[in-house]
Amino acid sequence: MYVQELQPVAGSLGLSALVAALPLVLVLILLGGVRMKAHLAGPAGLLTAVLVACLTYGMPVGQTLSSAAQGAAFGLFPILWIVVNALWVYRMTVRTRHFDVLRRSFGRLSDDPRIQALVVAFCFGALLEALAGFGAPVAICSVMLVALGFDPVRAAVVSLVANTAPVAFGAMGTPVVTLAQVTGLPLDTVASVVGRQTPLLALVVPLLLVGLVDGRRGLRETWLPALVCGTAFAVAQFAASNYVSAQLADIGAALAGAGALVAVPHARVPAPEAVRASVLTGTRSEELDERDPRREVVRAYAPYALIVTIFSVAQIPAVKDRLARATRTYDWPFLDVVDPDGRPVGANLFTWPVVSTGGTLVLLAGIGTAAVLGVHARVAAKEWAATVHELRFAILTVTSVLALAYVMNLSGQAATIGHFVAAAGAGLAFLSPVLGWFGVAVSGSDTSANALFGALQVTAARESGLSPELLAAANSSGGVLGKMISPQNLTIACAAVGLAGREGDLLRKVLPWSLGLLLVMCLVVVGQSSPVLDWMLP
């Protein structure tokens, strides 16, 4: 049995926290300072965490390696299991050219570039974030906007800023699933609190997008469609995350936002030529003028309809209970850890939701997609293998970061830092989103930031008398605002629109919006931690 210790260095909490923070500091320096690739920085941080656990905290080598193995296993299943299958569905639509059909369908919804930004970057981007995440929405939406005639810089900026509100529930809820796992808090509770924070961003971001596209004129002329779209998105995201399923939050929100936008008569009015001339400064793709048979348009939308249908059916109580019976729980080998009070930690057990996990449901939707799009089984299997190969570096990054997080959590490093940070007292509520923002800004992933800082936030909350659920959720909600300034996303955006080497230009354009929205989120969390807004919490 290994008993966690909070002050292993000279009996000092401050010195112990300093040593415990070494793995995190190293990862952040390697990523943000040295600009090392994440798939190399992650393993370096993991090695540091293992050394600190063994040499400073006295955790047996076997238990340390076992905790790292469990973290890596969780990174593979269910996290990467979701991402691989979701990206596989997208690759099949690209291979059969039905993604081009979908893009042309969006282009015909409205010729107003301000409305197009909402449809493509905000609504469809949210749907892509729900299905795949990990930079896919920024890359795909940037390319689509350029094809519609947007200037490359404007297309990239719009796509980056739009990729905020849906991030916490991206990749079928992967960030909040990870947050619940590393903190030991119930998933429904964590998702519920996040669902009472990020919808507030959804109310603001569409207005910000039309302003970025066409300045004050854009706000003056298209504020109503933007507000209707944002409100529908926010309401659906809140309702799904609180009363249905975290995995369906972004899918429902994206569809609701798009449906509400199309329903506003003003959104279908042709844009004045002056607007088009000043906004669409790029070259419009002639391919957009092709007319597609209705049957092909239906097939282009089919993969997303299949995913929504399968996940919706999986939430029916009788079906949900039956799927849950396939869940297996195991005693993780060579792991026997108790906290300083002698209570066993939850990570001694490993839960494997074989069928009910989002990745398996997306896999079923992918099989249906292959059938609907006419993809031969052999070709579909080849595309799945190609997806794994494409994500090979992301796989190494995610597994190493999760392994690092588990070693820090189980050895007691995260608890030491949390107790030390708790000294911030009431100010912790304001700083909590900042920590998540910083983690995502460096790592490019809300999932990684939740894995790194989730347990720390919960420990600090309990020590300072604040709600653990609130600060854990704040880590994720604040983190989504760091996505637009992360080197990973900036590089993806530049590469997608042919602006390689101009990441600095994009950073200068999006940084003020990232900081401004972060301040709003910090104030929201402070309010929710006090009688002013505590009525918002479940």
Side-chain angles (χ1 to χ4, degrees), residues 50-132:
V50 168
L51 291 175
V52 171
C54 295
L55 301 179
T56 303
Y57 281 77
M59 190 177 195
V61 175
Q63 297 222 43
T64 303
L65 296 179
S66 181
S67 61
Q70 185 180 10
F74 178 68
L76 290 171
F77 192 97
I79 294 178
L80 289 164
W81 180 237
I82 296 171
V83 177
V84 167
N85 289 324
L87 198 56
W88 173 54
V89 173
Y90 164 70
R91 285 180 63 99
M92 285 193 289
T93 66
V94 172
R95 184 182 181 92
T96 59
R97 298 190 179 280
H98 283 89
F99 184 77
D100 294 331
V101 176
L102 191 68
R103 182 174 64 184
R104 288 192 287 270
S105 175
F106 288 160
R108 287 190 290 271
L109 287 176
S110 173
D111 72 344
D112 189 325
R114 300 163 299 191
I115 302 301
Q116 289 174 341
L118 294 176
V119 172
V120 174
F122 187 68
C123 297
F124 186 60
L127 187 60
L128 291 173
E129 182 67 37
L131 301 180

Side-chain angles (χ1 to χ4, degrees), residues 204-215:
V204 178
V205 170
L207 295 168
L208 181 55
L209 293 181
V210 297
L212 287 171
V213 172
D214 194 28

Side-chain angles (χ1 to χ4, degrees), residues 229-522:
C229 176
T231 301
F233 186 103
V235 170
Q237 190 182 61
F238 162 77
S241 60
N242 277 269
Y243 305 112
V244 184
S245 165
Q247 286 89 347
L248 283 176
D250 278 351
I251 294 177
L255 296 177
L261 183 61
V262 172
V264 177
H266 184 70
R268 306 302 295 271
V269 176
E273 194 56 41
V275 173
R276 293 181 55 78
S278 64
V279 174
L280 299 180
T281 53
T283 303
R284 185 176 184 274
S285 173
E286 295 181 359
E287 176 198 356
L288 295 172
D289 296 323
E290 294 182 21
R291 305 299 297 185
D292 298 299
R294 177 167 295 185
R295 179 172 180 270
E296 295 306 310
V297 174
V298 171
R299 292 175 75 190
Y301 281 92
Y304 309 102
L306 279 170
I307 290 174
V308 172
T309 301
I310 289 174
F311 270 82
S312 298
V313 170
Q315 298 309 310
I316 297 173
V319 178
K320 190 174 183 178
D321 291 342
R322 192 170 187 83
L323 293 177
R325 291 176 195 163
T327 298
R328 297 289 181 264
T329 301
Y330 305 96
D331 280 320
W332 191 258
F334 310 111
L335 201 61
D336 186 11
V337 180
V338 297
D339 64 19
D341 297 325
R343 294 170 300 192
V345 299
N348 289 324
L349 301 176
F350 181 75
T351 302
W352 187 26
V354 184
V355 182
S356 60
T357 187
T360 302
L361 299 179
V362 176
L363 177 65
L364 295 176
I367 295 171
T369 295
V372 171
L373 300 185
V375 180
H376 191 277
R378 183 178 64 257
V379 175
K382 188 178 296 183
E383 284 295 327
W384 194 91
T387 303
V388 174
H389 182 265
E390 180 184 340
L391 291 173
R392 62 193 183 282
F393 294 125
I395 291 171
L396 179 57
T397 300
V398 171
T399 51
S400 61
V401 168
L402 265 296
L404 181 155
Y406 267 62
V407 170
M408 291 191 66
N409 293 344
L410 287 167
S411 66
Q413 295 173 62
T416 296
I417 300 172
H419 279 73
F420 181 74
V421 172
L428 188 59
F430 184 88
L431 295 174
S432 186
V434 177
L435 189 59
W437 174 86
F438 184 69
V440 176
V442 172
S443 69
S445 166
D446 201 36
T447 299
S448 296
N450 286 344
L452 292 174
F453 300 130
L456 185 156
Q457 297 266 23
V458 167
T459 301
R462 286 174 175 151
E463 286 301 304
S464 60
L466 295 172
S467 164
E469 293 81 6
L470 174 62
L471 294 202
N475 191 84
S476 191
S477 298
V480 307
L481 300 170
K483 189 90 167 178
M484 68 178 82
I485 64 168
S486 70
Q488 172 183 306
N489 260 24
L490 290 171
T491 301
I492 288 172
C494 284
V497 298
L499 296 174
R502 295 185 60 184
E503 289 85 356
D505 294 340
L506 288 186
L507 177 61
R508 284 189 289 272
K509 289 181 178 297
V510 300
L511 181 58
W513 302 114
S514 177
L515 292 174
L517 292 172
L518 174 63
L519 176 60
V520 172
M521 183 56 66
C522 289

